């Protein structure tokens, strides 16, 4: 069979068995189509049914989570953990608490995580989990009770050598703390089963900063190869969570000016450059919205999403040299990519997971906009989680500079691995193909080595 037919047959299989999972299908389509050239030159993968095996999670756990809200009412949610692949190590990946969470989204995130984790060069498999719970507007006590209820089931399925969850959208240090406390109480174990812990009880310095810093380190390598840098460049960073905040911090350290950030209500344009201390206070301490940033900062304007043009995300109409989509999946459409291009944008670097739609990706590559794809560019977060696991296993802790230096080296290595693989297959400018092929090859080879399981 030709590699193209093998890929198409596998995608048909996904459509048949996961017919109501369009986002997982989108992600699988991207990965499988890009690895076609590898499957063409190496028929071993087809011989060992690697694709059919790889697109099916090793295990999926779906459970009920019930907690009591502040009014004394029982609230019920879906909890999930998708343990997708353990070919390279224990399942590793974050937990997302967001009302949009469902099996489709978690399968896409877990699948993406397999190849991202492979690219880090560390021994971690791929998984993801979460719940359709909205932390927005909940009291601290409600968050604690929800985390405890969630962990009362999840604890049965995780462990430092089996599955190591971390944070993602809606799950930060506070939630990890409550879940870690619950895990410890249920199992009587104090170990490295969760990452993203606070520094004082087993966390790693620089973990909080790692995804954002890593995205900038990766982009720096890409720009360097083209004789470009960040100095005096205008940047737009979507989102305002952990990834966005530390992307902005590193960009500012390298001399760039970030003029816009966003959240699910809209975006803020600040022509003088985002005041990071104010943004951190608003988001990390006060847990407020970016509209509150605009209300407190002279010269900053808030544009509500109700005013966005149909089919677009308003923040991408802000002219910039470099764009960092760091909010969520499919936040940058074909129209948005065209807008960015028209306004002279030279680089799109993905801090979020799969922020560009398939047609936006195609447009970006065809128009030779520099493109740092998510599974390579944002791998710094999970890589530093693996460094946290290493520190926990050795009962030690490294300084901020030690971790940051290791992160920097890991991102440089990921860049090399990605661009070398792209060149090997004749796609000089296509890091997406490079990342997918390099990530896939290592996992697929390990699956063959380990037999049919
Ligand atoms: N949620 C993050 C990601 O998308 C980090 C996962 C982790 O640290 O395990 O990669």
């Amino acid at each position: 069979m030709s590699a193209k037919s093998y890929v198409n047959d596998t995608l048909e299989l996904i459509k048949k068995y996961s017919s109501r999972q369009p986002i997982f299908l989108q992600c699988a389509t991207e990965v499988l189509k890009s690895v076609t050239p590898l499957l063409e030159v190496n028929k071993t993968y087809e011989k060992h049914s690697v694709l059919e095996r790889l697109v099916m999670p090793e295990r999926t756990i779906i459970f009920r989570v019930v907690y009591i809200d502040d009014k004394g009412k029982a609230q019920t949610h879906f909890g999930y953990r998708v343990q997708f692949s353990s070919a390279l190590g224990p399942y590793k990946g974050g937990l997302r608490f967001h009302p949009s969470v469902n099996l489709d989204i978690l399968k896409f995130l877990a699948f993406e995580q397999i190849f991202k984790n492979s690219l880090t060069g560390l021994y971690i498999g791929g998984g993801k989990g979460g719940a359709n719970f909205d932390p927005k507007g909940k009291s601290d006590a409600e968050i604690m009770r929800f985390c405890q209820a969630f962990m009362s089931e999840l604890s049965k399925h995780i462990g430092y050598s089996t599955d190591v969850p971390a944070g993602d959208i809606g799950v930060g240090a506070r939630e990890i703390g409550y879940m870690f406390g619950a895990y410890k109480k249920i199992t009587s174990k104090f170990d490295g089963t969760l990452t993203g812990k606070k520094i004082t009880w087993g966390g790693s310095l620089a973990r909080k900063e790692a995804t954002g810093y890593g995205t900038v380190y990766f982009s720096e390598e890409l720009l360097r190869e083209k004789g470009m840098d960040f100095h005096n460049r205008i940047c737009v960073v979507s989102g305002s969570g952990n990834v966005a905040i530390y992307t902005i911090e590193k960009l500012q350290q390298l001399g760039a000016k970030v003029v816009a950030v966003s959240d699910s209500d809209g975006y803020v344009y600040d022509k003088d450059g985002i005041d990071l201390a104010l943004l951190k206070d608003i988001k990390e301490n006060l847990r407020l919205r970016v509209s509150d940033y605009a209300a407190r900062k002279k010269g900053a304007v808030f544009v509500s999403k109700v005013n966005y043009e149909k089919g677009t995300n308003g923040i991408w109409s802000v002219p910039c040299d470099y764009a960092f989509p760091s909010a969520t999946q499919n936040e940058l459409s074909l129209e948005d990519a065209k807008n960015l291009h028209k306004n002279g944008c030279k680089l799109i670097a993905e801090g979020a997971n799969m922020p560009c739609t398939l047609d936006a990706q195609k447009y970006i590559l065809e128009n030779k906009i520099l493109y740092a794809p998510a599974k390579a560019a944002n791998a710094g977060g999970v890589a530093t989680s693996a460094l946290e696991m290493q520190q926990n296993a050795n009962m030690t802790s490294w300084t901020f500079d030690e971790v940051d230096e290791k992160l920097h080296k890991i991102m440089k290595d990921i860049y090399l691995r990605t661009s070398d693989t792209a060149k090997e297959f004749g796609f000089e400018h296509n890091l997406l193909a490079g990342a997918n092929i390099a990530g896939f090859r290592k996992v697929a080879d390990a699956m063959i080595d380990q037999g049919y399981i």
Side-chain angles (χ1 to χ4, degrees):
M1 194 189 304
S2 74
K4 214 169 157 199
S5 312
Y6 182 35
V7 163
N8 285 336
D9 285 1
T10 312
L11 291 173
E12 284 306 315
L13 204 70
I14 297 179
K15 282 183 205 154
K16 192 165 151 201
Y17 293 118
S18 317
S19 60
R20 280 190 241 142
Q21 297 176 354
I23 303 185
F24 171 54
L25 180 65
Q26 176 188 341
C27 172
T29 304
E30 179 213 289
V31 175
L32 266 49
K33 291 220 157 144
S34 355
V35 302
T36 312
L38 170 68
L39 304 177
E40 198 59 68
V41 294
N42 190 341
K43 294 286 174 188
T44 329
Y45 301 115
E46 187 188 335
K47 184 176 148 220
H48 291 286
S49 307
V50 166
L51 291 189
E52 302 88 312
R53 292 195 281 142
L54 188 60
V55 297
M56 193 180 287
E58 289 175 13
R59 190 176 299 104
T60 301
I61 302 138
I62 304 183
F63 49 97
R64 185 174 67 189
V65 185
V66 188
Y67 79 102
I68 312 275
D69 71 14
D70 286 348
K71 294 193 188 89
K73 177 112 179 67
Q75 297 291 348
T76 312
H77 291 274
F78 281 104
Y80 305 84
R81 187 73 181 163
V82 180
Q83 299 181 329
F84 220 124
S85 168
S86 61
L88 298 181
Y91 308 107
K92 181 82 197 84
L95 297 168
R96 177 177 291 192
F97 290 169
H98 192 269
S100 67
V101 162
N102 57 31
L103 189 56
D104 181 24
I105 289 185
L106 292 177
K107 275 179 72 180
F108 128 63
L109 288 166
F111 192 66
E112 180 81 357
Q113 199 85 43
I114 301 171
F115 310 105
K116 180 196 311 203
N117 293 3
S118 161
L119 280 173
T120 65
L122 302 162
Y123 301 112
I124 38 181
K128 205 88 183 192
N132 63 340
F133 166 73
D134 190 359
K136 210 161 57 176
K138 301 287 187 301
S139 72
D140 210 52
E142 286 174 321
I143 299 277
M144 188 198 291
R145 288 195 295 271
F146 181 82
C147 289
Q148 290 171 341
F150 183 82
M151 192 46 87
S152 69
E153 178 61 33
L154 187 70
S155 59
K156 298 171 193 163
H157 311 283
I158 59 175
Y160 72 94
S161 63
T162 51
D163 185 352
V164 184
D168 195 79
I169 294 173
V171 177
R174 173 181 59 167
E175 291 74 19
I176 292 291
Y178 294 149
M179 284 192 271
F180 185 78
Y183 176 81
K184 201 165 49 115
K185 179 152 172 83
I186 295 162
T187 63
S188 300
K189 283 179 190 145
F190 191 117
D191 61 26
T193 296
L194 288 162
T195 61
K197 302 184 290 296
K198 264 202 179 159
I199 315 304
T200 43
W201 42 269
S204 172
L205 286 162
R207 172 62 190 89
K208 189 170 67 171
E209 292 81 357
T211 313
Y213 279 22
T215 306
V216 180
Y217 291 151
F218 184 92
S219 309
E220 199 178 20
E221 296 306 303
L222 173 56
L223 291 174
R224 196 195 320 274
E225 212 173 276
K226 311 285 170 198
M228 296 154 73
D229 62 22
F230 288 107
H231 198 64
N232 286 337
R233 295 290 124 199
I234 302 294
C235 298
V236 166
V237 180
S238 66
S240 48
N242 187 50
V243 180
I245 286 177
Y246 293 96
T247 296
I248 299 173
E249 184 164 285
K250 187 49 76 180
L251 285 172
Q252 291 183 344
Q253 285 172 11
L254 296 176
K257 184 172 171 185
V258 180
V259 295
V261 289
S262 63
D263 61 21
S264 53
D265 298 336
Y267 75 89
V268 164
Y269 174 68
D270 189 344
K271 63 176 180 351
D272 300 326
I274 295 293
D275 175 343
L276 189 60
L278 176 61
L279 184 68
K280 279 189 182 174
D281 195 39
I282 298 267
K283 299 303 290 190
E284 292 181 341
N285 302 329
L286 305 170
R287 296 183 187 275
L288 294 173
R289 314 293 296 162
V290 295
S291 54
D292 297 298
Y293 172 96
R296 285 167 169 78
K297 173 85 193 296
K298 205 165 154 259
V301 251
F302 173 68
V303 179
S304 164
K305 77 164 179 210
V306 298
N307 297 318
Y308 291 178
E309 271 179 41
K310 202 165 173 283
T312 72
N313 177 351
I315 194 166
W316 306 125
S317 64
V318 176
C320 64
D321 297 307
Y322 306 150
F324 291 82
S326 310
T328 193
Q329 69 272 358
N330 289 333
E331 56 159 307
L332 199 157
S333 67
L334 174 61
E335 275 316 301
D336 294 322
K338 286 182 181 167
N339 261 336
L340 284 166
H341 189 42
K342 187 181 76 199
N343 290 330
C345 176
K346 302 274 181 304
L347 164 82
I348 297 178
E350 300 182 326
N353 290 311
M354 203 174 72
C356 295
T357 59
L358 284 176
D359 49 4
Q361 270 180 343
K362 192 161 170 271
Y363 179 88
I364 294 164
L365 292 169
E366 278 170 5
N367 286 279
K368 304 258 180 305
I369 302 169
L370 298 178
Y371 181 50
K375 56 176 83 59
N378 77 26
V382 73
T384 308
S385 274
L387 299 180
E388 182 173 331
M389 290 163 72
Q390 288 179 23
Q391 292 169 79
N392 291 163
N394 288 327
M395 297 192 73
T396 186
S397 61
W398 302 327
T399 64
F400 187 96
D401 287 347
E402 278 175 293
V403 181
D404 189 33
E405 219 168 274
K406 287 179 201 284
L407 165 67
H408 204 153
K409 179 165 187 320
I410 290 170
M411 296 316 295
K412 283 182 175 179
D413 289 348
I414 295 177
Y415 179 75
L416 277 181
R417 217 166 273 143
T418 306
S419 73
D420 285 353
T421 310
K423 284 177 197 146
E424 182 189 335
F425 285 86
F427 304 112
E428 183 100 16
H429 298 288
N430 187 342
L431 292 182
L432 180 67
N436 281 330
I437 296 173
F440 171 88
R441 184 157 51 186
K442 199 167 157 212
V443 176
D445 290 345
M447 285 174 74
I448 293 171
D449 293 343
Q450 292 168 23
Y452 300 153
I453 47 163

